[in-house]
Coordinates of all heavy atoms in Angstrom, one line a residue:
M1 N -57.3 -154.2 -37.0 CA -58.7 -154.2 -37.4 C -59.0 -155.6 -37.9 O -58.3 -156.2 -38.8 CB -58.8 -153.2 -38.5 CG -60.2 -153.2 -39.1 SD -60.6 -151.7 -40.0 CE -59.6 -151.9 -41.5
A2 N -60.1 -156.2 -37.5 CA -60.5 -157.5 -37.9 C -61.3 -157.4 -39.1 O -62.1 -156.5 -39.3 CB -61.4 -158.1 -36.7
V3 N -61.0 -158.4 -40.0 CA -61.8 -158.4 -41.3 C -62.9 -159.5 -41.1 O -62.6 -160.6 -40.8 CB -60.8 -158.8 -42.5 CG1 -61.6 -159.0 -43.7 CG2 -59.7 -157.8 -42.6
S4 N -64.1 -159.1 -41.4 CA -65.1 -160.0 -41.2 C -65.5 -160.6 -42.6 O -65.3 -160.0 -43.6 CB -66.4 -159.4 -40.6 OG -66.8 -158.3 -41.4
G5 N -66.2 -161.7 -42.6 CA -66.6 -162.3 -43.9 C -67.9 -161.6 -44.4 O -68.3 -160.6 -43.9
P6 N -68.5 -162.1 -45.5 CA -69.6 -161.6 -46.0 C -70.8 -161.6 -45.1 O -70.9 -162.5 -44.2 CB -69.9 -162.4 -47.3 CG -69.1 -163.6 -47.2 CD -68.0 -163.3 -46.2
R7 N -71.6 -160.6 -45.2 CA -72.8 -160.6 -44.3 C -73.8 -161.7 -44.6 O -73.9 -162.1 -45.8 CB -73.6 -159.3 -44.5 CG -72.8 -158.1 -44.0 CD -73.5 -156.8 -44.0 NE -74.9 -156.8 -44.4 CZ -75.5 -155.9 -45.1 NH1 -74.8 -154.8 -45.6 NH2 -76.8 -155.9 -45.4
P8 N -74.4 -162.3 -43.6 CA -75.3 -163.4 -43.9 C -76.5 -162.9 -44.7 O -76.9 -161.8 -44.6 CB -75.8 -163.8 -42.5 CG -75.1 -163.0 -41.5 CD -74.3 -162.0 -42.3
K9 N -77.0 -163.8 -45.6 CA -78.1 -163.5 -46.5 C -79.3 -164.4 -46.2 O -79.1 -165.6 -45.8 CB -77.7 -163.6 -47.9 CG -76.7 -162.6 -48.3 CD -76.1 -162.8 -49.7 CE -75.0 -161.8 -50.1 NZ -73.9 -161.7 -49.2
T10 N -80.5 -163.9 -46.4 CA -81.7 -164.7 -46.2 C -82.5 -164.6 -47.5 O -82.7 -163.5 -48.1 CB -82.5 -164.1 -45.1 OG1 -81.7 -164.1 -43.9 CG2 -83.8 -164.9 -44.8
C11 N -83.0 -165.7 -47.9 CA -83.9 -165.8 -49.1 C -85.2 -165.0 -48.9 O -85.9 -165.2 -47.9 CB -84.2 -167.2 -49.5 SG -85.3 -167.4 -50.9
A12 N -85.4 -164.1 -49.8 CA -86.6 -163.2 -49.6 C -87.9 -164.0 -49.9 O -89.0 -163.6 -49.5 CB -86.5 -162.1 -50.6
A13 N -87.8 -165.2 -50.6 CA -89.0 -166.0 -50.8 C -89.4 -167.0 -49.7 O -90.5 -167.0 -49.3 CB -88.9 -166.7 -52.2
C14 N -88.4 -167.8 -49.4 CA -88.6 -168.8 -48.4 C -88.2 -168.5 -47.0 O -88.5 -169.3 -46.0 CB -88.0 -170.2 -48.9 SG -86.2 -170.3 -48.9
G15 N -87.3 -167.5 -46.8 CA -86.8 -167.2 -45.5 C -85.6 -168.0 -45.0 O -85.1 -167.7 -44.0
R16 N -85.1 -168.9 -45.9 CA -84.0 -169.7 -45.5 C -82.7 -168.9 -45.5 O -82.5 -168.1 -46.4 CB -83.9 -170.9 -46.4 CG -82.8 -171.9 -46.1 CD -82.8 -173.1 -47.1 NE -82.4 -172.7 -48.4 CZ -81.1 -172.6 -48.8 NH1 -80.1 -172.7 -47.9 NH2 -80.8 -172.3 -50.0
G17 N -81.8 -169.2 -44.5 CA -80.5 -168.5 -44.6 C -79.7 -169.1 -45.7 O -79.7 -170.3 -46.0
I18 N -78.9 -168.3 -46.4 CA -78.1 -168.7 -47.5 C -76.6 -168.6 -47.0 O -76.1 -167.5 -46.7 CB -78.3 -167.8 -48.7 CG1 -79.8 -167.8 -49.1 CG2 -77.4 -168.2 -49.8 CD1 -80.1 -166.8 -50.2
A19 N -76.0 -169.7 -47.0 CA -74.6 -169.8 -46.6 C -73.7 -169.0 -47.6 O -74.0 -168.9 -48.8 CB -74.1 -171.3 -46.5
A20 N -72.6 -168.5 -47.1 CA -71.7 -167.7 -47.9 C -71.1 -168.5 -49.1 O -70.8 -167.9 -50.1 CB -70.6 -167.1 -47.1
S21 N -71.1 -169.8 -48.9 CA -70.5 -170.7 -50.0 C -71.6 -171.1 -51.1 O -71.3 -171.7 -52.0 CB -69.9 -171.9 -49.4 OG -71.0 -172.7 -48.7
E22 N -72.9 -170.7 -50.8 CA -73.9 -171.0 -51.7 C -74.2 -170.0 -52.8 O -73.9 -168.8 -52.5 CB -75.3 -171.2 -51.0 CG -75.4 -172.4 -50.1 CD -76.8 -172.5 -49.5 OE1 -77.7 -172.9 -50.2 OE2 -76.9 -172.1 -48.3
V23 N -74.6 -170.4 -53.9 CA -75.0 -169.4 -55.0 C -76.3 -168.8 -54.6 O -77.2 -169.5 -54.1 CB -75.1 -170.2 -56.4 CG1 -75.7 -169.2 -57.4 CG2 -73.8 -170.7 -56.8
Y24 N -76.4 -167.5 -54.8 CA -77.7 -166.8 -54.6 C -77.9 -165.9 -55.8 O -77.1 -165.6 -56.6 CB -77.7 -166.1 -53.2 CG -76.6 -165.0 -53.2 CD1 -76.9 -163.7 -53.5 CD2 -75.4 -165.3 -52.7 CE1 -76.0 -162.7 -53.5 CE2 -74.4 -164.3 -52.6 CZ -74.7 -163.0 -53.0 OH -73.7 -162.0 -53.0
Y25 N -79.2 -165.4 -55.9 CA -79.5 -164.6 -57.0 C -80.1 -163.2 -56.5 O -81.1 -163.3 -55.7 CB -80.5 -165.3 -57.9 CG -80.0 -166.6 -58.4 CD1 -80.0 -167.8 -57.7 CD2 -79.3 -166.6 -59.6 CE1 -79.4 -168.9 -58.2 CE2 -78.7 -167.8 -60.1 CZ -78.8 -168.9 -59.4 OH -78.2 -170.0 -59.9
R26 N -79.6 -162.1 -57.0 CA -80.1 -160.8 -56.7 C -81.3 -160.5 -57.5 O -81.3 -160.9 -58.7 CB -79.1 -159.7 -56.9 CG -78.0 -159.8 -55.9 CD -77.1 -158.5 -55.9 NE -76.2 -158.6 -54.8 CZ -76.5 -158.4 -53.5 NH1 -77.8 -158.1 -53.2 NH2 -75.6 -158.5 -52.6
F27 N -82.3 -159.8 -57.0 CA -83.4 -159.4 -57.9 C -83.9 -158.0 -57.5 O -83.7 -157.5 -56.4 CB -84.6 -160.4 -57.7 CG -85.3 -160.2 -56.4 CD1 -86.4 -159.4 -56.2 CD2 -84.9 -161.0 -55.3 CE1 -87.0 -159.2 -55.0 CE2 -85.5 -160.9 -54.0 CZ -86.6 -160.0 -53.9
T28 N -84.5 -157.4 -58.4 CA -85.2 -156.1 -58.3 C -86.5 -156.2 -59.0 O -86.5 -156.6 -60.2 CB -84.4 -154.9 -58.8 OG1 -83.1 -154.8 -58.1 CG2 -85.1 -153.6 -58.6
L29 N -87.6 -156.0 -58.3 CA -88.9 -156.2 -58.9 C -89.6 -154.8 -58.8 O -89.8 -154.3 -57.7 CB -89.7 -157.3 -58.3 CG -91.2 -157.5 -58.7 CD1 -91.1 -157.9 -60.2 CD2 -91.8 -158.6 -57.9
V30 N -90.1 -154.3 -59.9 CA -90.9 -153.0 -59.9 C -92.2 -153.3 -60.5 O -92.3 -153.8 -61.7 CB -90.1 -151.9 -60.6 CG1 -91.0 -150.7 -60.7 CG2 -88.8 -151.7 -60.0
L31 N -93.3 -153.0 -59.8 CA -94.6 -153.1 -60.4 C -95.2 -151.7 -60.4 O -95.3 -151.0 -59.5 CB -95.6 -154.0 -59.5 CG -95.1 -155.4 -59.3 CD1 -96.0 -156.1 -58.3 CD2 -95.0 -156.2 -60.6
Q32 N -95.6 -151.3 -61.6 CA -96.1 -150.0 -61.8 C -97.5 -150.0 -62.4 O -97.6 -150.7 -63.5 CB -95.2 -149.1 -62.8 CG -93.9 -148.8 -62.1 CD -92.9 -148.0 -63.0 OE1 -91.8 -147.8 -62.6 NE2 -93.3 -147.5 -64.2
G33 N -98.5 -149.4 -61.8 CA -99.9 -149.5 -62.3 C -100.0 -148.5 -63.4 O -99.5 -147.4 -63.4
E34 N -100.8 -149.0 -64.4 CA -101.1 -148.1 -65.6 C -102.5 -148.4 -66.0 O -103.1 -149.4 -65.7 CB -100.1 -148.5 -66.7 CG -98.7 -148.2 -66.5 CD -97.8 -148.4 -67.7 OE1 -98.3 -148.7 -68.8 OE2 -96.6 -148.4 -67.5
Q35 N -103.1 -147.4 -66.6 CA -104.4 -147.5 -67.2 C -104.5 -146.7 -68.4 O -104.2 -145.5 -68.4 CB -105.4 -147.0 -66.1 CG -106.9 -147.2 -66.5 CD -107.8 -146.9 -65.4 OE1 -107.4 -146.6 -64.3 NE2 -109.1 -146.9 -65.7
D36 N -104.8 -147.3 -69.5 CA -104.8 -146.6 -70.8 C -106.0 -145.6 -70.9 O -105.8 -144.5 -71.5 CB -104.8 -147.5 -72.0 CG -103.5 -148.3 -72.0 OD1 -102.5 -147.8 -71.6 OD2 -103.6 -149.5 -72.6
V37 N -107.2 -146.0 -70.4 CA -108.3 -145.1 -70.6 C -109.2 -145.2 -69.4 O -109.4 -146.3 -68.8 CB -109.2 -145.6 -71.8 CG1 -110.5 -144.8 -72.0 CG2 -108.4 -145.6 -73.1
L38 N -109.7 -144.0 -68.9 CA -110.7 -144.0 -67.8 C -112.0 -144.6 -68.3 O -112.4 -144.3 -69.4 CB -110.9 -142.6 -67.3 CG -109.8 -142.0 -66.4 CD1 -110.1 -140.6 -66.1 CD2 -109.5 -142.8 -65.2
G39 N -112.6 -145.4 -67.5 CA -113.9 -146.0 -67.9 C -115.0 -145.0 -67.9 O -114.9 -143.9 -67.2
P40 N -116.1 -145.2 -68.6 CA -117.2 -144.2 -68.6 C -117.8 -144.1 -67.3 O -118.4 -145.1 -66.8 CB -118.1 -144.7 -69.7 CG -117.8 -146.1 -69.9 CD -116.3 -146.3 -69.5
A41 N -117.8 -142.9 -66.7 CA -118.4 -142.8 -65.3 C -119.9 -142.3 -65.4 O -120.7 -142.8 -64.7 CB -117.6 -141.8 -64.5
G42 N -120.2 -141.4 -66.3 CA -121.5 -141.0 -66.4 C -121.8 -140.2 -67.6 O -122.7 -139.4 -67.7
G43 N -120.9 -140.3 -68.6 CA -121.1 -139.6 -69.8 C -120.6 -138.1 -69.8 O -120.8 -137.4 -70.7
G44 N -120.0 -137.7 -68.6 CA -119.5 -136.3 -68.5 C -118.2 -136.2 -69.3 O -117.7 -137.0 -69.9
S45 N -117.7 -135.0 -69.2 CA -116.4 -134.7 -69.8 C -115.3 -135.4 -69.1 O -115.5 -135.8 -67.9 CB -116.1 -133.2 -69.9 OG -115.9 -132.7 -68.6
T46 N -114.1 -135.4 -69.7 CA -113.0 -136.1 -69.0 C -112.6 -135.3 -67.8 O -112.2 -135.9 -66.7 CB -111.7 -136.1 -70.0 OG1 -112.2 -136.8 -71.2 CG2 -110.6 -136.8 -69.4
G47 N -112.7 -134.0 -67.8 CA -112.4 -133.1 -66.6 C -113.4 -133.5 -65.5 O -113.0 -133.6 -64.3
D48 N -114.7 -133.7 -65.8 CA -115.6 -134.1 -64.7 C -115.3 -135.5 -64.2 O -115.4 -135.7 -63.0 CB -117.1 -134.1 -65.3 CG -117.6 -132.7 -65.7 OD1 -117.0 -131.7 -65.2 OD2 -118.5 -132.7 -66.5
D49 N -114.9 -136.4 -65.1 CA -114.6 -137.7 -64.6 C -113.4 -137.7 -63.7 O -113.3 -138.4 -62.7 CB -114.2 -138.6 -65.9 CG -115.4 -139.0 -66.7 OD1 -116.6 -138.7 -66.2 OD2 -115.3 -139.4 -67.8
L50 N -112.4 -136.9 -64.0 CA -111.2 -136.8 -63.2 C -111.5 -136.2 -61.9 O -111.0 -136.6 -60.8 CB -110.1 -136.0 -63.9 CG -109.4 -136.7 -65.1 CD1 -108.4 -135.7 -65.8 CD2 -108.7 -137.9 -64.6
A51 N -112.3 -135.1 -61.9 CA -112.7 -134.5 -60.6 C -113.5 -135.5 -59.7 O -113.3 -135.5 -58.5 CB -113.6 -133.3 -60.9
S52 N -114.4 -136.3 -60.3 CA -115.1 -137.3 -59.6 C -114.2 -138.3 -59.0 O -114.3 -138.7 -57.8 CB -116.1 -137.9 -60.5 OG -116.8 -139.0 -59.8
L53 N -113.2 -138.7 -59.8 CA -112.3 -139.7 -59.3 C -111.4 -139.2 -58.2 O -111.2 -139.9 -57.2 CB -111.4 -140.2 -60.5 CG -110.3 -141.2 -60.2 CD1 -110.9 -142.5 -59.6 CD2 -109.4 -141.5 -61.4
L54 N -111.0 -138.0 -58.3 CA -110.2 -137.3 -57.2 C -111.0 -137.2 -55.9 O -110.5 -137.5 -54.8 CB -109.7 -136.0 -57.7 CG -108.5 -136.0 -58.6 CD1 -108.2 -134.6 -59.1 CD2 -107.2 -136.6 -57.9
K55 N -112.2 -136.8 -56.0 CA -113.1 -136.8 -54.9 C -113.3 -138.1 -54.2 O -113.2 -138.3 -53.0 CB -114.5 -136.2 -55.2 CG -115.4 -136.0 -54.0 CD -116.7 -135.3 -54.5 CE -117.5 -135.1 -53.2 NZ -118.8 -134.5 -53.5
Q56 N -113.4 -139.1 -55.0 CA -113.6 -140.5 -54.5 C -112.3 -141.0 -53.8 O -112.4 -141.5 -52.7 CB -113.9 -141.4 -55.7 CG -114.1 -142.9 -55.3 CD -114.4 -143.7 -56.5 OE1 -114.3 -143.3 -57.7 NE2 -114.7 -145.0 -56.3
L57 N -111.2 -140.6 -54.3 CA -109.9 -141.0 -53.7 C -109.7 -140.2 -52.4 O -109.2 -140.8 -51.4 CB -108.7 -140.7 -54.7 CG -108.6 -141.5 -55.9 CD1 -107.5 -141.0 -56.8 CD2 -108.4 -143.0 -55.6
E58 N -110.1 -138.9 -52.4 CA -109.8 -138.2 -51.1 C -110.8 -138.6 -50.0 O -110.4 -138.6 -48.9 CB -110.1 -136.7 -51.5 CG -109.0 -136.0 -52.3 CD -109.4 -134.7 -52.8 OE1 -110.6 -134.2 -52.6 OE2 -108.6 -134.0 -53.4
E59 N -112.0 -139.1 -50.4 CA -113.0 -139.5 -49.3 C -112.8 -141.0 -48.9 O -113.5 -141.4 -48.0 CB -114.4 -139.2 -49.8 CG -114.7 -137.7 -50.0 CD -116.0 -137.4 -50.7 OE1 -116.7 -138.4 -51.0 OE2 -116.3 -136.2 -50.7
G60 N -112.0 -141.7 -49.7 CA -111.8 -143.2 -49.4 C -111.1 -143.4 -48.1 O -110.4 -142.5 -47.6
P61 N -111.1 -144.6 -47.6 CA -110.4 -145.0 -46.4 C -108.9 -145.2 -46.5 O -108.2 -145.3 -45.5 CB -111.1 -146.3 -45.9 CG -111.6 -146.9 -47.2 CD -111.9 -145.7 -48.1
E62 N -108.5 -145.4 -47.8 CA -107.1 -145.6 -48.0 C -106.2 -144.4 -47.7 O -106.6 -143.3 -48.0 CB -106.8 -146.1 -49.4 CG -107.5 -147.4 -49.7 CD -108.9 -147.3 -50.2 OE1 -109.4 -146.2 -50.2 OE2 -109.5 -148.3 -50.5
S63 N -105.0 -144.6 -47.2 CA -104.1 -143.6 -47.0 C -103.3 -143.3 -48.3 O -103.3 -144.1 -49.2 CB -103.0 -143.9 -46.0 OG -102.1 -144.9 -46.5
P64 N -102.7 -142.1 -48.4 CA -102.0 -141.8 -49.6 C -100.9 -142.8 -49.9 O -100.6 -143.2 -51.0 CB -101.4 -140.4 -49.3 CG -102.3 -139.8 -48.4 CD -102.9 -140.9 -47.6
R65 N -100.3 -143.3 -48.8 CA -99.2 -144.4 -49.0 C -99.8 -145.6 -49.6 O -99.2 -146.3 -50.5 CB -98.6 -144.6 -47.7 CG -97.5 -145.7 -47.7 CD -96.7 -145.7 -46.5 NE -95.7 -146.8 -46.5 CZ -94.5 -146.7 -47.1 NH1 -94.2 -145.5 -47.7 NH2 -93.6 -147.6 -47.1
E66 N -101.0 -146.0 -49.2 CA -101.6 -147.2 -49.8 C -101.9 -147.0 -51.3 O -101.7 -147.9 -52.1 CB -103.0 -147.5 -49.1 CG -102.8 -148.1 -47.6 CD -104.0 -148.3 -46.9 OE1 -104.8 -147.2 -46.8 OE2 -104.3 -149.4 -46.5
W67 N -102.4 -145.9 -51.6 CA -102.6 -145.5 -53.1 C -101.3 -145.6 -53.8 O -101.2 -146.1 -54.9 CB -103.3 -144.2 -53.2 CG -104.8 -144.3 -52.9 CD1 -105.4 -143.6 -51.9 CD2 -105.8 -145.0 -53.6 NE1 -106.7 -143.9 -51.8 CE2 -107.0 -144.8 -52.9 CE3 -105.8 -145.8 -54.7 CZ2 -108.2 -145.3 -53.3 CZ3 -107.0 -146.4 -55.1 CH2 -108.2 -146.1 -54.4
E68 N -100.3 -145.0 -53.2 CA -99.0 -145.0 -53.9 C -98.5 -146.4 -54.1 O -97.9 -146.7 -55.2 CB -98.0 -144.2 -53.0 CG -96.6 -144.0 -53.7 CD -95.6 -143.2 -52.9 OE1 -96.1 -142.2 -52.3 OE2 -94.5 -143.6 -52.8
E69 N -98.6 -147.3 -53.2 CA -98.1 -148.6 -53.3 C -98.9 -149.4 -54.3 O -98.4 -150.4 -54.9 CB -98.1 -149.3 -52.0 CG -96.9 -148.8 -51.1 CD -96.5 -149.8 -50.0 OE1 -97.2 -150.8 -49.8 OE2 -95.5 -149.5 -49.4
Q70 N -100.2 -149.0 -54.6 CA -101.0 -149.6 -55.6 C -100.5 -149.2 -57.0 O -100.6 -149.9 -58.0 CB -102.4 -149.3 -55.5 CG -103.1 -150.0 -54.3 CD -104.6 -149.8 -54.2 OE1 -105.2 -149.6 -55.2 NE2 -105.1 -149.8 -53.0
V71 N -99.9 -148.1 -57.1 CA -99.4 -147.5 -58.4 C -97.9 -147.8 -58.6 O -97.5 -148.1 -59.7 CB -99.6 -146.0 -58.4 CG1 -99.0 -145.4 -59.7 CG2 -101.1 -145.6 -58.3
H72 N -97.1 -147.8 -57.5 CA -95.7 -148.1 -57.7 C -95.2 -148.9 -56.5 O -95.3 -148.4 -55.3 CB -94.9 -146.8 -57.8 CG -93.4 -147.1 -58.0 ND1 -92.9 -147.2 -59.3 CD2 -92.4 -147.3 -57.1 CE1 -91.6 -147.4 -59.1 NE2 -91.3 -147.5 -57.9
W73 N -94.8 -150.2 -56.7 CA -94.4 -151.1 -55.7 C -93.0 -151.6 -56.1 O -92.8 -152.0 -57.3 CB -95.4 -152.2 -55.5 CG -95.1 -153.1 -54.4 CD1 -95.4 -153.0 -53.0 CD2 -94.4 -154.4 -54.5 NE1 -95.0 -154.1 -52.3 CE2 -94.4 -154.9 -53.2 CE3 -93.8 -155.1 -55.5 CZ2 -93.8 -156.2 -52.9 CZ3 -93.2 -156.3 -55.3 CH2 -93.2 -156.8 -54.0
E74 N -92.0 -151.5 -55.3 CA -90.6 -151.9 -55.6 C -90.0 -152.7 -54.5 O -90.1 -152.3 -53.3 CB -89.9 -150.6 -55.9 CG -88.5 -150.9 -56.5 CD -87.9 -149.6 -57.0 OE1 -88.6 -148.6 -57.4 OE2 -86.7 -149.5 -57.0
R75 N -89.4 -153.8 -54.8 CA -88.6 -154.6 -53.8 C -87.4 -155.1 -54.5 O -87.3 -155.3 -55.7 CB -89.5 -155.8 -53.3 CG -90.7 -155.4 -52.5 CD -90.4 -154.7 -51.2 NE -91.6 -154.4 -50.5 CZ -92.3 -153.3 -50.6 NH1 -91.9 -152.4 -51.4 NH2 -93.3 -153.1 -49.8
S76 N -86.4 -155.3 -53.6 CA -85.1 -156.0 -54.1 C -84.6 -156.9 -53.0 O -85.0 -156.7 -51.8 CB -84.1 -154.9 -54.5 OG -83.8 -154.1 -53.4
G77 N -83.8 -157.8 -53.3 CA -83.2 -158.7 -52.4 C -82.5 -159.8 -53.0 O -82.0 -159.7 -54.2
V78 N -82.4 -161.0 -52.3 CA -81.8 -162.2 -52.9 C -82.7 -163.4 -52.7 O -83.5 -163.4 -51.7 CB -80.4 -162.4 -52.2 CG1 -79.4 -161.3 -52.5 CG2 -80.5 -162.7 -50.8
V79 N -82.6 -164.4 -53.6 CA -83.3 -165.6 -53.4 C -82.3 -166.7 -53.6 O -81.3 -166.6 -54.3 CB -84.4 -165.8 -54.4 CG1 -85.5 -164.8 -54.2 CG2 -83.9 -165.7 -55.9
C80 N -82.6 -167.9 -53.0 CA -81.8 -169.1 -53.1 C -82.1 -169.7 -54.5 O -83.0 -169.3 -55.2 CB -82.1 -170.0 -51.9 SG -83.8 -170.7 -52.0
A81 N -81.2 -170.7 -54.8 CA -81.4 -171.4 -56.1 C -82.7 -172.0 -56.3 O -83.3 -172.0 -57.4 CB -80.2 -172.4 -56.2
A82 N -83.3 -172.7 -55.2 CA -84.6 -173.3 -55.4 C -85.7 -172.3 -55.7 O -86.5 -172.5 -56.5 CB -84.9 -174.2 -54.1
C83 N -85.7 -171.2 -55.0 CA -86.7 -170.2 -55.1 C -86.5 -169.5 -56.5 O -87.5 -169.1 -57.1 CB -86.7 -169.2 -54.0 SG -87.4 -170.0 -52.5
R84 N -85.3 -169.4 -57.0 CA -85.1 -168.8 -58.3 C -85.8 -169.6 -59.4 O -86.4 -169.0 -60.2 CB -83.6 -168.7 -58.6 CG -83.3 -168.1 -60.0 CD -82.0 -168.6 -60.5 NE -81.8 -168.1 -61.9 CZ -82.2 -168.7 -63.0 NH1 -82.8 -169.8 -62.9 NH2 -81.9 -168.2 -64.2
S85 N -85.7 -170.9 -59.3 CA -86.4 -171.7 -60.2 C -87.9 -171.5 -60.2 O -88.5 -171.4 -61.3 CB -86.1 -173.2 -60.0 OG -84.8 -173.4 -60.1
V86 N -88.5 -171.4 -59.1 CA -89.9 -171.1 -59.0 C -90.3 -169.8 -59.5 O -91.2 -169.6 -60.3 CB -90.4 -171.3 -57.5 CG1 -91.8 -170.8 -57.3 CG2 -90.1 -172.6 -57.0
V87 N -89.5 -168.8 -59.2 CA -89.8 -167.4 -59.6 C -89.7 -167.3 -61.2 O -90.6 -166.8 -61.9 CB -88.9 -166.3 -59.0 CG1 -89.0 -165.0 -59.6 CG2 -89.2 -166.3 -57.5
V88 N -88.6 -167.9 -61.7 CA -88.4 -167.8 -63.2 C -89.6 -168.6 -63.9 O -90.2 -168.1 -64.9 CB -87.1 -168.4 -63.6 CG1 -87.0 -168.6 -65.1 CG2 -86.0 -167.5 -63.1
R89 N -90.0 -169.7 -63.3 CA -91.1 -170.5 -63.9 C -92.4 -169.7 -63.9 O -93.1 -169.7 -64.9 CB -91.2 -171.9 -63.2 CG -92.2 -172.8 -63.9 CD -92.1 -174.2 -63.3 NE -92.2 -174.3 -61.8 CZ -91.2 -174.7 -61.1 NH1 -90.1 -175.0 -61.5 NH2 -91.4 -174.7 -59.8
M90 N -92.6 -169.1 -62.8 CA -93.9 -168.3 -62.6 C -93.9 -167.1 -63.5 O -95.0 -166.8 -64.1 CB -94.0 -167.9 -61.1 CG -95.3 -167.1 -60.9 SD -95.5 -166.6 -59.1 CE -94.3 -165.3 -59.1
L91 N -92.8 -166.4 -63.7 CA -92.8 -165.2 -64.5 C -92.6 -165.5 -66.0 O -92.6 -164.6 -66.8 CB -91.8 -164.2 -64.0 CG -92.1 -163.7 -62.6 CD1 -90.9 -162.8 -62.1 CD2 -93.4 -162.9 -62.6
S92 N -92.3 -166.8 -66.4 CA -92.0 -167.1 -67.8 C -93.2 -167.8 -68.5 O -93.0 -168.2 -69.6 CB -90.8 -168.0 -67.8 OG -89.6 -167.4 -67.3
V93 N -94.3 -167.8 -67.8 CA -95.5 -168.5 -68.5 C -95.9 -167.6 -69.6 O -96.1 -166.4 -69.5 CB -96.6 -168.6 -67.4 CG1 -97.9 -169.1 -68.1 CG2 -96.2 -169.6 -66.3
P94 N -96.2 -168.3 -70.8 CA -96.7 -167.5 -71.9 C -98.0 -166.8 -71.6 O -98.8 -167.4 -70.8 CB -96.9 -168.6 -73.0 CG -96.1 -169.7 -72.6 CD -96.0 -169.7 -71.1
P95 N -98.2 -165.6 -72.1 CA -99.4 -164.8 -71.7 C -100.7 -165.5 -72.1 O -101.8 -165.2 -71.6 CB -99.2 -163.5 -72.5 CG -98.0 -163.6 -73.3 CD -97.3 -164.9 -73.0
D96 N -100.7 -166.4 -73.1 CA -101.9 -167.0 -73.5 C -102.4 -168.2 -72.7 O -103.4 -168.8 -72.9 CB -101.9 -167.4 -75.0 CG -100.7 -168.4 -75.3 OD1 -99.8 -168.5 -74.5 OD2 -100.8 -169.1 -76.3
V97 N -101.5 -168.6 -71.7 CA -101.9 -169.7 -70.8 C -102.5 -169.1 -69.6 O -101.9 -168.4 -68.8 CB -100.6 -170.5 -70.4 CG1 -100.9 -171.5 -69.4 CG2 -100.0 -171.1 -71.7
A98 N -103.8 -169.4 -69.4 CA -104.5 -168.8 -68.2 C -104.1 -169.6 -67.0 O -104.1 -170.9 -67.0 CB -106.0 -168.9 -68.4
R99 N -103.8 -168.9 -65.9 CA -103.5 -169.5 -64.6 C -104.2 -168.8 -63.5 O -104.5 -167.6 -63.6 CB -101.9 -169.4 -64.4 CG -101.1 -170.2 -65.3 CD -99.6 -170.1 -65.0 NE -99.3 -170.1 -63.6 CZ -98.2 -169.8 -63.1 NH1 -97.3 -169.3 -63.8 NH2 -98.0 -169.8 -61.8
P100 N -104.6 -169.6 -62.5 CA -105.3 -168.9 -61.4 C -104.4 -168.0 -60.6 O -103.2 -168.1 -60.6 CB -105.7 -170.1 -60.5 CG -104.7 -171.2 -60.8 CD -104.3 -171.0 -62.3
H101 N -105.0 -167.0 -60.0 CA -104.2 -166.0 -59.3 C -104.0 -166.4 -57.9 O -104.7 -166.8 -57.2 CB -104.9 -164.6 -59.3 CG -104.9 -164.0 -60.6 ND1 -104.9 -164.6 -61.8 CD2 -104.8 -162.7 -60.9 CE1 -104.9 -163.8 -62.8 NE2 -104.8 -162.6 -62.3

């Protein structure tokens, strides 16, 4: 039986191949949508607001999968050393510093 080396890896950010001798970084990113309070729709009760929202969702053009991905999105993979620096810098900005999206 032949023993093969490690499987080739590709950076999830830049797409560059990562050699088996290079350092790489594993990541898991989970984005979960949350909303503390429903906005005032028309002064009705909360039950009315929820029924109206459900009707709007059912009649909209988005598929259930699209709605699900807006609420829960998860990815994992590896990044190269250069992309790790960019990701860490981007996610480490203090919240009071406004940056364009």
Side-chain angles (χ1 to χ4, degrees):
M1 175 165 72
V3 176
S4 61
R7 292 185 6 217
K9 293 172 182 56
T10 302
C11 177
C14 70
R16 183 178 70 79
I18 301 172
S21 61
E22 287 183 80
V23 173
Y24 61 92
Y25 299 86
R26 292 196 171 282
F27 71 90
T28 299
L29 178 62
V30 178
L31 300 177
Q32 293 181 183
E34 294 183 8
Q35 184 173 354
D36 292 332
V37 178
L38 285 177
S45 71
T46 303
D48 293 342
D49 291 345
L50 288 174
S52 174
L53 180 59
L54 283 173
K55 183 176 181 181
Q56 182 182 6
L57 292 174
E58 289 170 353
E59 294 174 355
E62 295 86 358
S63 72
R65 180 167 177 82
E66 288 173 304
W67 283 114
E68 182 179 322
E69 286 199 354
Q70 287 185 28
V71 175
H72 183 90
W73 184 85
E74 191 170 328
R75 295 294 182 270
S76 62
V78 297
V79 293
C80 65
C83 289
R84 178 202 178 274
S85 298
V86 173
V87 170
V88 168
R89 189 170 51 248
M90 182 179 73
L91 295 176
S92 298
V93 174
D96 58 339
V97 176
R99 292 183 40 195
H101 290 31

